[in-house]
Amino acid sequence: MNSAEWHARIECGGKVAGAGFLVTPSKVLTCAHVVRDGARDGLTVTFTERPGLPAVRARVVADGGWGGGATDLGDVAVLELEREVAIAPAALAPVDGAHGTAPRKLVVYGFPAGFDEGTLAEYRITAPQLISREWLQLEAWQPDGQPLAPGFSGAAVTLVDTGEVVGMVTAAAGARGVRNGRMMPTQVMAQYWPDLESLVPTSDHRTADRTRLRALVERAVRAGVDCDPVRLYTAAAGPFDPDPPEEGFDSLWSAALFVLCELDGPGAVETLARLTDRLEALLRTREPETPAPEWAPILVELKHSGAGDGLVRVEVSAYSQGRRHPVDSDTVPQGRLRAYVQDSIEAAFRYLTPGADELIAFALPRDWLDWPVDRWESAPDDDTPLGCVYPLVVTDHARRKASTRHVLTRAWNRLDSFPGARLQRVDCGSPEEPGRLRVRLRKPDACLAGFATAPAATRTRPHFDTSLSAPAPVIVWSRSGCVAGEDDCGGTDGCTGKAFLDELDACVSQVPPAELPRHILALREEADAEDGHWARDIQLLWDDPRVFTDPHATAAAHVQSPVA
């Protein structure tokens, strides 16, 4: 989960009473019934995801007027910490964040008996209907999952994909074997504590944009970047945006919340983009550069054999300390291809420097770029997908000519200083001319072209070819593409391709381009363990020529090699 440090454990008299979550540097929200004995026994708050940070004394400063009964309304309390903590507060979702055409997975972090360090439970809302205008009903995501129990009360209910808070757990079902519960959504909590309204973002901003801004603010806080938030906001504000408050902003986070929560309409979206870009540029000049991974790749080249559709030409090489080591080459039937690749990859590891960052790269003909090579079994005795064991990418064989490698090398030398991968979207049924996409990809900050449909899609195939020839250093798509079919879908909110790009943007916007293979590996592992995960069929074309030696110089090596 994102920003997990803000999860709080509430203790009364030294005993765990429940959970809570940080919403400002000095305020924690929880249930009133969690802290009912706090005045007598004393309250402390512990942030378990910050080991070594001592417990902080707290006091109740506001509540919802809860009457003490299990079904009484207003079961919310606001705690004020004895001192501010240097932890980024929880990010709240727009008021409709828990709803969707398909159920949205929600995660709860609580402290039931035996789990003083915390444990997770997965839930979803049964329906958007409020019960007594106060609660939404929660039901378990899996029938055998962790049930809600004492210790989960006061826990934030978060969206699994963004980490944003949509509400707070107030009660479990109470009956044995029933894995339901109730949560108080943020809009109801704000009725009891009006200060919360200023922390709930408007629905004008896209999830990816909110996530990107919060990630940049958190990076700035961790890095100790010193900047004037008023000047930063003023420089980003549009002509019709309000002036900053007379008292100014007490932190960079306050300025970000002002834009997210106080501004609305199309102008707010543009202001958010300008603020984010300025903050990103500021971080680029203030943060020390992180060196790119020292990739040690194993290159698997698959080609049409010319001897029939059922035969594939395979060449496998390993790269170590700037040298290419031919491993194996042969023409094999497609039925034996996976086993041959498994054996060759295993043999290639002998040439890698021990402990180096391995990378499996498949160089494929353009019409094979959608092959699910990441789903191939990793070994004869292990059916774990290859892409869930190693960082795995594909490259386009046609881009291995010298002129394209030269342009790509120049682009990657520039991208080394970029803190994140800026996504250039090609949505389902995009009306944009391919030439306009080429212009976008030629810009200095362009890095990643993301497609809502698979390469075979007729309408966006010219755009895909343009991305390859531009050349875009990174291209990402989902092999399953838009389930509606590009001719029937206009990229609306129900479009699976649009949802894929939204999720992708939120996940990679703060990942340095050189780190993408490792990041996609983590996504594939998540998708393999979770049915219906958006990244299940993700395909990553990642092409950094500096990782490989000159392909023309090494072609002869295979010819002269005794294994050719």
Side-chain angles (χ1 to χ4, degrees), residues 127-461:
Q129 173 67 48
L130 282 174
I131 300 172
S132 299
R133 300 184 179 180
E134 181 90 354
W135 307 287
L136 289 172
Q137 179 168 302
L138 295 171
E139 60 181 33
W141 185 265
Q142 299 286 352
D144 57 349
Q146 166 70 47
L148 296 179
F152 277 102
S153 293
V157 181
T158 63
L159 297 168
V160 70
D161 49 356
T162 69
E164 294 177 316
V165 176
V166 295
M168 177 181 71
V169 174
T170 57
R176 182 181 297 275
V178 179
R179 296 176 183 267
N180 288 349
R182 288 181 176 179
M183 83 169 190
M184 184 185 293
T186 53
Q187 68 266 30
V188 175
M189 297 171 70
Q191 295 174 16
Y192 294 114
W193 188 49
D195 287 359
L196 194 65
E197 291 182 2
S198 64
L199 304 177
V200 178
T202 69
S203 57
D204 297 278
H205 304 297
R206 295 188 312 129
T207 298
D209 296 333
R210 297 195 307 270
T211 302
R212 180 172 172 237
L213 177 59
R214 288 198 305 271
L216 286 170
V217 171
E218 289 166 14
R219 274 179 51 199
V221 171
R222 286 195 302 269
V225 173
D226 183 22
C227 71
D228 183 346
V230 172
R231 290 182 59 186
L232 188 68
Y233 168 76
T234 303
F240 301 107
D241 288 332
D243 293 332
E246 290 185 6
E247 67 275 15
F249 301 115
D250 59 7
S251 66
L252 188 58
W253 186 245
S254 296
L257 285 173
F258 187 80
V259 174
L260 288 172
C261 306
E262 301 296 331
L263 308 187
D264 54 19
V269 176
E270 297 173 1
T271 300
L272 175 63
R274 288 191 295 267
L275 180 72
T276 304
D277 288 343
R278 288 179 179 275
L279 181 55
E280 186 175 64
L282 179 67
L283 283 169
R284 199 176 300 155
T285 61
R286 304 285 180 86
E287 284 186 328
E289 291 186 8
T290 302
E294 294 291 335
W295 293 116
I298 294 173
L299 179 65
V300 181
E301 299 182 77
L302 306 183
K303 306 175 186 177
H304 296 283
S305 69
D309 292 340
L311 296 174
V312 179
R313 181 64 184 173
V314 186
E315 295 179 357
V316 180
S317 307
Y319 289 79
S320 178
Q321 298 179 343
R323 296 184 58 194
R324 182 177 183 175
H325 304 275
V327 176
D328 223 339
S329 66
D330 201 353
T331 299
V332 301
Q334 284 203 17
R336 200 164 59 86
L337 179 59
R338 296 190 184 189
Y340 184 88
V341 168
Q342 288 172 352
D343 293 341
S344 299
I345 288 176
E346 182 63 31
F349 270 95
R350 296 198 300 265
Y351 295 92
L352 301 187
T353 302
D357 293 316
E358 73 278 357
L359 174 73
I360 310 297
F362 280 79
L364 305 171
R366 190 159 294 188
D367 57 334
W368 290 357
L369 284 175
D370 208 33
W371 276 18
V373 290
D374 61 291
R375 301 300 302 174
W376 290 5
E377 297 84 356
S378 57
D381 58 349
D382 185 358
D383 62 359
T384 305
L386 194 61
C388 293
V389 178
Y390 309 111
L392 185 148
V393 303
V394 300
T395 65
D396 177 18
H397 228 296
R399 300 211 307 183
R400 296 184 65 76
K401 57 186 181 181
S403 58
T404 305
R405 312 312 280 172
H406 176 81
V407 175
L408 279 170
T409 299
R410 186 173 62 220
W412 276 101
N413 286 338
R414 184 177 67 251
L415 293 175
D416 280 343
S417 63
F418 278 44
R422 181 69 64 84
L423 178 66
Q424 304 296 320
R425 299 171 63 107
V426 182
D427 284 290
C428 186
S430 172
E432 181 184 47
E433 291 295 325
R436 295 300 304 169
L437 176 61
R438 182 183 300 276
V439 171
R440 281 201 281 149
L441 292 173
R442 292 286 191 182
K443 292 183 177 180
D445 64 344
C447 170
L448 191 160
F451 283 79
T453 58
T458 305
R459 187 176 297 178
T460 53
R461 179 69 205 209

